Amino acid sequence: MDETTTGKQSDENAEKTTVSLKEESEEAVESRDDESNENEGEDEVSVLKDELEAEQNKYLRLLADYDNFKRRTQKDREISAKFRSQSLLTDLLPVLDNFERALAVEAKSEDAVSIMKGVEMVQKSLLEAVKREGLEEIPAVGEPFDPNFHQAVMQEKDDDAEPGTVLQELQKGYTLKGRVLRPAMVKVNE
């Protein structure tokens, strides 16, 4: 063979080699692109999963906050309804005290006796009305002293009673549905 034929064959071989190398490199690039697309797709999926999880957590927290808000509001409404009359009853306590004082006075004439009966009837009506609202007297005389319900303003020594026992009630105390409106003012045995 001569040199031109050999040169042509070498050029052809070189071209074939170049073409096959190009094909191989294109296939390698495509396979790398496929792998990188798969990696990018996997990365994108994991990012989206993380974002979804964060949003779900945020939603659950908001839902829990809303439920807590509803419970607190309901509880506040119940307490408000339960003690709606507290202010009025607190204002009526001196009126009840004045009825007690008025009835403690001894009536001497017939007119005074009839007035006392009328005052007593008004007092009974008022006591029934406030009891329907939940007002109760705090028991005092003969009871052990309880600083939650009694206010000790005097002490006295009485050998017939136990130490720490209430001897006398100076002013009545009242509770409204278990809440102390006014403690009983008492004299306590030493």
Side-chain angles (χ1 to χ4, degrees), residues 85-99 126 129-130 135 174 182:
S85 60
Q86 179 174 345
S87 148
L88 174 64
L89 292 175
T90 302
D91 292 341
L92 287 177
L93 294 181
V95 175
L96 293 173
D97 293 339
N98 288 336
F99 274 116
L126 182 60
V130 295
L135 188 74
Y174 296 94
R182 180 177 76 188

Side-chain angles (χ1 to χ4, degrees), residues 117-177:
K117 283 184 182 181
V119 170
E120 188 177 345
M121 287 173 32
V122 172
Q123 181 202 29
K124 282 182 182 179
S125 297
L126 182 60
L127 283 174
E128 287 174 13
V130 295
K131 283 182 181 178
R132 280 193 302 269
E133 286 297 315
L135 188 74
E136 296 178 11
E137 289 183 18
I138 295 174
V141 177
E143 297 287 322
F145 175 76
D146 183 352
N148 296 315
F149 297 102
H150 303 124
Q151 179 182 359
V153 292
M154 298 174 70
Q155 282 190 332
E156 188 176 281
K157 182 73 174 157
D158 186 353
D159 295 330
D160 295 336
E162 292 286 321
T165 303
V166 175
L167 297 175
Q168 183 181 0
E169 182 178 53
L170 305 172
Q171 184 181 45
K172 286 189 178 188
Y174 296 94
T175 61
L176 173 63
K177 298 179 182 174

